[in-house]
Amino acid sequence: MFEAAQPYLRFVASQLTSISKVSDKVFALKKETDHLKEEVNAVVKELDVAGSRLIQRAKERKALYEVVTKVTGPEKDPQGGCAAILNIVAKMVEADVVACLLYDEAKGELVVSPGSFGIPEEERMLYSIPLSNHASASVRTFLSRKPFITPDAQNDPDVLTRYAKLWEIHSLMIVPISLHDRIIGVMRVGSRRKDFFTPDQLEFLSIIADELAIIIEMVTLYGNLSKTAQELAQLNKIKDEFLATVSHELKTPLTTIKGFVSVILSGEVGPLNEQQHNFLSVTDQSVNRLSQLISNLLDLSRLNGKVELEFQRVDLAELIRSSVSTMLLKARESKVNLSNTAQGLPQVQADTRWMTQVIDNLIINAIKYAGSGANITVSGTDKGEAVVICVEDNGPGIPPEEQKMVFEKFYRGRNSANQVPGTGLGLAISKSVVEKHGGKIWVESKVGKGSRFCFALPIAKK
């Protein structure tokens, strides 16, 4: 009977062996599957980390682009640009406080600049620390130019905890701000969460600080320029007021002197010998020159102030004819030929008194500087939207290097300053008047061939 069962027993044994082998393979496959799952999970985790880093880098590049745009863009408010960059930094690293601490050379301290993120303006000045306080992480960063990071500023012995508690921050990053190897301050970035910032963010912050230095330098220069401009404007105002006051005070006694000298020269108070007559004539000429100088100074003071021009439709051809007629006698005395070709010109909106002075100034200058025997021509041309008036002579001309200075106050040509009387204000006054009329004045000249002074005024609208 046992023998009869042996084939069945061998069959069962072979099946059990097969089952054992299959079981071993299943176990091996399970083990291999578990290993593959572990590897896949590790790869997925690495991909998640890499993806997060790529997203972070993309955010950083976007933030850098925004920062560079603020630095190089056409912003008219440098202080606003600085505040905008601090806002970008705060948004990028999810910070609660971002501030620039700039070095104040006068005080020898690091002080918080305006435009900080997360710090009320009334609390800004509560943070100021002398460079002698080496217990401050900000001071050490400023002196060593090395970035600083801590996970909990309120419990870090390397940080002045009272400032961390003042702004309620734990995580803290500090980076130096430098420009052209010159340290100008530090940037403090804080978070109310502990152990929040990473070394990558600290490196990113260092890059931002380099761009921020440019904005800070612009703010400083802008402030200095604004202060200088205000000081110059105040000095100019004082000067104008002084000139106006002195001119008024001098004009009255000069008028009296002029009157008495004229009476004496007329012989009404008795005869004069030749020497007395010569002395009084020189005095009379000097009084005339001084009176002219005072009148010019008063005119210049009015033009620099808030003088109100009385605009009306004016016939320029008639103004020119009147001026030329007035100047003919002076031209004959100087042996100069003066002619007028300005006719049929369109009307302009102008102040008659001031525009007459411009034309007179140009003609008088031509008579004085052209020289004996010269020809002077006053002309006018309709250019469509503007009318151009020119006073041209064939005198000695003006050197190119002097032409750009002839309209400056008190400037007189080097070759004629001691030969031709004058104040050096006539052309400066003319330029100011023409510009207040919305026009332009210029000079064209060649040495040895003469000069042509022209001004253009817009034609009056119908």
Side-chain angles (χ1 to χ4, degrees):
M1 187 175 178
F2 177 75
E3 292 178 355
Q6 280 186 347
Y8 296 103
L9 293 172
R10 285 195 293 272
F11 175 75
V12 171
S14 64
Q15 292 299 314
L16 289 172
T17 302
S18 298
I19 290 171
S20 176
K21 289 179 179 179
V22 170
S23 178
D24 290 341
K25 288 182 178 179
V26 169
F27 181 76
L29 284 170
K30 184 178 182 303
K31 186 176 181 181
E32 186 175 350
T33 300
D34 292 340
H35 180 67
L36 285 172
K37 282 184 178 179
E38 290 177 358
E39 290 185 348
V40 168
N41 287 336
V43 170
V44 170
K45 188 174 181 180
E46 288 181 4
L47 287 174
D48 285 341
V49 172
S52 298
R53 286 179 178 174
L54 285 173
I55 292 172
Q56 182 68 16
R57 294 300 182 208
K59 288 181 179 179
E60 289 177 0
R61 292 186 184 280
K62 181 182 178 183
L64 278 174
Y65 172 77
E66 291 177 355
V67 168
V68 172
T69 301
K70 290 292 181 184
V71 173
T72 59
E75 300 291 340
K76 301 299 183 185
D77 181 12
Q79 189 68 61
C82 185
I85 289 178
L86 297 183
N87 285 332
I88 292 170
V89 170
K91 181 180 178 182
M92 180 60 219
V93 299
E94 299 179 25
D96 297 305
V97 172
V98 182
C100 286
L101 279 65
L102 303 182
Y103 178 53
D104 187 329
E105 293 184 12
K107 297 179 180 179
E109 296 178 342
L110 291 175
V111 296
V112 179
S113 67
S116 301
F117 176 85
I119 301 176
E121 186 64 22
E122 61 271 14
E123 295 182 9
R124 180 174 63 84
M125 296 310 296
L126 295 178
Y127 191 109
S128 61
I129 185 164
L131 284 188
S132 58
N133 190 348
H134 291 190
S136 166
S138 297
V139 170
R140 292 197 306 276
T141 299
F142 179 86
L143 296 175
S144 67
R145 303 192 182 190
K146 293 180 180 179
F148 174 84
I149 185 170
T150 179
D152 189 1
Q154 294 192 22
N155 297 291
D156 190 332
D158 290 332
V159 178
L160 293 177
T161 57
R162 62 190 178 97
Y163 293 115
K165 292 178 180 178
L166 174 66
W167 293 339
E168 300 178 348
I169 61 171
H170 286 282
S171 296
L172 175 66
M173 293 188 293
I174 308 174
V175 294
I177 302 173
S178 57
L179 182 68
H180 306 310
D181 297 327
R182 179 170 60 88
I183 186 79
I184 59 177
V186 298
M187 178 162 53
R188 286 175 61 99
V189 179
S191 171
R192 295 189 177 93
R193 290 165 283 187
K194 295 181 180 180
D195 198 15
F196 184 68
F197 297 130
T198 66
D200 287 343
Q201 290 175 318
L202 186 66
E203 181 182 354
F204 167 73
L205 206 63
S206 298
I207 298 173
I208 293 288
D210 292 338
E211 302 296 337
L212 185 60
I214 300 174
I215 281 283
I216 292 172
E217 188 73 1
M218 289 170 59
V219 171
T220 304
L221 291 173
Y222 181 80
N224 291 339
L225 285 174
S226 297
K227 183 179 178 181
T228 303
Q230 290 175 0
E231 290 175 352
L232 289 174
Q234 183 63 23
L235 288 173
N236 194 52
K237 182 181 179 182
I238 293 172
K239 179 207 68 176
D240 289 340
E241 291 175 353
F242 172 76
L243 286 177
T245 302
V246 170
S247 298
H248 276 296
E249 291 298 323
L250 286 176
K251 198 158 190 176
T252 301
L254 273 178
T255 302
T256 304
I257 294 171
K258 171 70 175 174
F260 281 122
V261 169
S262 298
V263 170
I264 295 171
L265 281 173
S266 68
E268 292 183 16
V269 294
L272 299 173
N273 60 41
E274 184 177 355
Q275 187 180 43
Q276 290 172 331
H277 191 277
N278 290 338
F279 285 165
L280 286 171
S281 295
V282 170
T283 302
D284 188 53
Q285 293 173 7
S286 297
V287 169
N288 288 338
R289 289 176 60 184
L290 191 54
S291 295
Q292 183 61 40
L293 174 60
I294 291 172
S295 295
N296 286 340
L297 286 173
L298 282 171
D299 287 341
L300 207 56
S301 177
R302 294 190 192 102
L303 291 169
N304 288 336
K306 296 182 179 180
V307 62
E308 292 186 5
L309 302 183
E310 298 178 1
F311 288 99
Q312 58 181 323
R313 296 179 73 90
V314 173
D315 184 348
L316 271 180
E318 178 58 28
L319 286 187
I320 293 170
R321 186 198 63 76
S322 177
S323 290
V324 170
S325 298
T326 304
M327 297 296 168
L328 279 175
L329 179 59
K330 189 172 184 64
R332 292 193 189 100
E333 291 175 352
S334 301
K335 299 179 180 179
V336 169
N337 298 314
L338 176 61
S339 61
N340 172 29
T341 63
Q343 295 179 357
L345 299 176
Q347 291 187 332
V348 297
Q349 287 288 344
D351 184 300
T352 303
R353 181 249 176 179
W354 286 106
M355 194 50 57
T356 299
Q357 186 168 348
V358 171
I359 298 169
D360 288 348
N361 283 345
L362 295 183
I363 296 175
I364 289 172
N365 270 12
I367 292 172
K368 289 194 298 185
Y369 291 97
S372 178
N375 295 312
I376 299 173
T377 303
V378 183
S379 62
T381 307
D382 181 356
K383 294 291 186 180
E385 294 185 355
V387 58
V388 178
I389 306 300
C390 293
V391 177
E392 185 174 4
D393 66 68
N394 60 349
I398 304 170
E401 64 273 13
E402 293 187 22
Q403 291 180 24
K404 59 185 178 182
M405 297 184 287
V406 294
F407 293 104
E408 294 181 4
K409 300 172 188 175
F410 301 106
Y411 180 81
R412 305 190 65 211
R414 289 193 296 268
N415 296 331
S416 56
N418 296 325
Q419 302 174 9
V420 180
T423 63
L425 291 173
L427 290 177
I429 291 172
S430 299
K431 181 175 185 292
S432 182
V433 171
V434 170
E435 289 177 349
K436 284 184 179 293
H437 281 74
K440 180 183 177 182
I441 189 169
W442 68 94
V443 61
E444 302 167 1
S445 183
K446 289 185 179 180
V447 176
K449 294 188 177 181
S451 303
R452 180 166 63 174
F453 283 84
C454 301
F455 66 90
L457 295 177
I459 292 175
K461 295 180 181 180
K462 296 181 180 180

